[in-house]
Amino acid sequence: MTSLEFSAVGKSFGATVALADFELTIEPGEFISLLGPSGCGKTTALRIAAGFERADTGSVRLGGRDLSPIPAHRRNMGMVFQSYSLFPNLDVRRNVSFGLRTRRMDKGAMARRVDEMLEIVQLSGLGSRYPHQLSGGQQQRVALARALAVEPEVLLLDEPLSALDARVRSDLRDEIKRVQRETGITTLFVTHDQDEALAMSDRVGVMSQGRLEQLGTPREVYQAPSSPFVARFVGSINEIPTAAGSILVRPEALAIHDDVSRGQWIGTVVASTFQGPSTLIDVRLDTLDVLVRVHTATGSRSGSPGDRVSVTMSGDHLVS
């Protein structure tokens, strides 16, 4: 297992600053996600690590080795793209073995390695199929197997799930995490999807304007955001004005009550959205004239539009 380190990396495209003194160390065997809006620099960081872009300033080190003079094809990294990038004229086995063939691996060893990879991504028995005969999720599993077949030191994932439908995306994110744990490979995952980042990562780096706003465990980033930007970007948030300024609080940190004398605020339910195991209730607070969202478990108290209710807040989840 190998570490990957970005040190004071800067990159601009004309007048646009993509990365500014970007600092990040991914420990050996760690799974880190870079999360942020379009244009925040997360993909630029990944492409610099892969060797597809050159940093203007700073350095990237792999296991302590400076990657600056090393071309992309010699960096020993596996990469999985959003678009799969499979060879349509090659079957699954030959797609997976492509990197092994370019390295002139012995045929017997290559066959065993391909079998091992197909078993890891749970595609054994599909080796003779062509990409057009596979589902999107299966194609992405082939791309993952191909990236891992050459035993790279680092796995780079460039929004590999965004082209898939919701159910397949959920299944495949669990699969990628399982494979990463089994192989122990150091992994950098780029995504704009907070659910993916929170579900898959050992640590999450939230980016804005080329810099890391916060780096921490999924729980830390969600429950203790370091800035209003992180609080607003990761998860749903309510902004409630007070005499001392606005406070930011998660929907699950609020509760509603029939007894209007019980809560900190009084308001009227304007919408109730059933979501299976949970229900989202929108309440317009009277004196503040602000709409807040309350996240409740289905089966607990849920208001109907027009109901008068009170709202309380748990200080444990307060974000300011």
Side-chain angles (χ1 to χ4, degrees):
M1 294 189 288
T2 310
S3 64
L4 180 65
E5 180 182 1
F6 296 81
S7 180
V9 172
K11 179 66 178 178
S12 296
F13 297 96
T16 302
V17 177
L19 291 175
D21 291 322
F22 180 71
E23 299 270 352
L24 174 66
T25 297
I26 308 175
E27 301 296 340
E30 189 176 26
F31 191 120
I32 279 188
S33 292
L34 292 182
L35 174 68
S38 297
C40 70
K42 59 187 185 295
T43 298
T44 299
L46 182 140
R47 289 178 61 82
I48 287 174
F52 300 150
E53 300 284 355
R54 181 176 291 274
D56 297 332
T57 58
S59 64
V60 180
R61 295 182 175 274
L62 180 63
R65 307 186 311 275
D66 186 3
L67 293 176
S68 300
I70 303 175
H73 68 278
R74 294 184 56 199
R75 292 195 177 189
N76 196 25
M77 295 185 180
M79 188 150 182
V80 180
F81 299 92
Q82 174 183 339
S83 59
Y84 319 140
S85 298
L86 300 180
F87 299 106
N89 59 321
L90 301 181
D91 63 20
V92 167
R93 292 190 66 86
R94 285 184 291 170
N95 262 287
V96 174
S97 67
F98 181 80
L100 303 175
R101 284 184 281 118
T102 61
R103 298 182 183 200
R104 302 184 184 279
M105 177 180 277
D106 172 78
K107 288 185 177 180
M110 181 167 60
R112 289 191 295 273
R113 181 64 176 166
V114 171
D115 287 341
E116 179 186 357
M117 288 298 98
L118 292 181
E119 183 175 354
I120 285 177
V121 300
Q122 299 181 348
L123 289 180
S124 298
L126 300 183
S128 62
R129 293 192 184 182
Y130 286 83
H132 73 273
Q133 297 173 310
L134 303 174
S135 68
Q138 289 172 328
Q139 290 183 57
Q140 199 59 288
R141 288 172 190 241
V142 175
L144 178 61
R146 182 179 61 187
L148 293 172
V150 296
E151 299 184 271
E153 294 178 79
V154 170
L155 179 63
L156 303 174
L157 302 168
D158 186 13
E159 304 212 40
L161 307 180
S162 59
L164 304 172
D165 63 47
R167 177 59 185 270
V168 175
R169 189 163 62 242
S170 177
D171 290 344
L172 194 53
R173 78 183 184 193
D174 294 339
E175 190 70 11
I176 289 174
K177 186 57 182 174
R178 178 188 65 79
V179 170
Q180 190 269 339
R181 284 175 176 159
E182 286 185 9
T183 59
I185 190 170
T186 304
T187 301
L188 177 60
F189 179 82
V190 163
T191 182
H192 65 273
D193 188 304
Q194 57 185 279
D195 291 338
E196 291 174 5
L198 296 177
M200 299 172 70
S201 310
D202 296 315
R203 288 189 294 164
V204 177
V206 183
M207 295 189 64
S208 173
Q209 299 181 333
R211 297 179 185 273
L212 275 178
E213 285 276 334
Q214 185 173 359
L215 178 65
T217 66
R219 186 178 296 275
E220 289 169 344
V221 168
Y222 184 81
Q223 292 187 342
S226 62
S227 68
F229 171 83
V230 176
R232 293 184 181 103
F233 190 80
V234 181
S236 298
I237 204 76
N238 292 302
E239 299 193 36
I240 304 175
T242 70
S246 293
I247 57 174
L248 307 180
V249 61
R250 301 291 185 197
E252 65 271 20
L254 297 177
I256 64 172
H257 313 278
D258 293 320
D259 183 355
V260 294
S261 66
R262 241 182 104 179
Q264 294 166 276
W265 302 285
I266 299 172
T268 302
V269 174
V270 297
S272 178
T273 306
F274 176 73
Q275 295 188 325
S278 64
T279 300
L280 294 178
I281 303 172
D282 292 333
V283 180
R284 182 163 296 281
L285 304 182
D286 289 351
T287 56
L288 302 176
D289 193 28
V290 64
L291 191 69
V292 297
R293 175 158 286 182
V294 183
H295 190 173
T296 66
T298 295
S300 63
R301 199 273 183 227
S302 58
S304 300
D307 286 357
R308 296 287 289 166
V309 296
S310 64
V311 178
T312 57
M313 177 179 65
S314 165
D316 293 341
H317 294 86
L318 181 65
V319 178
S320 59

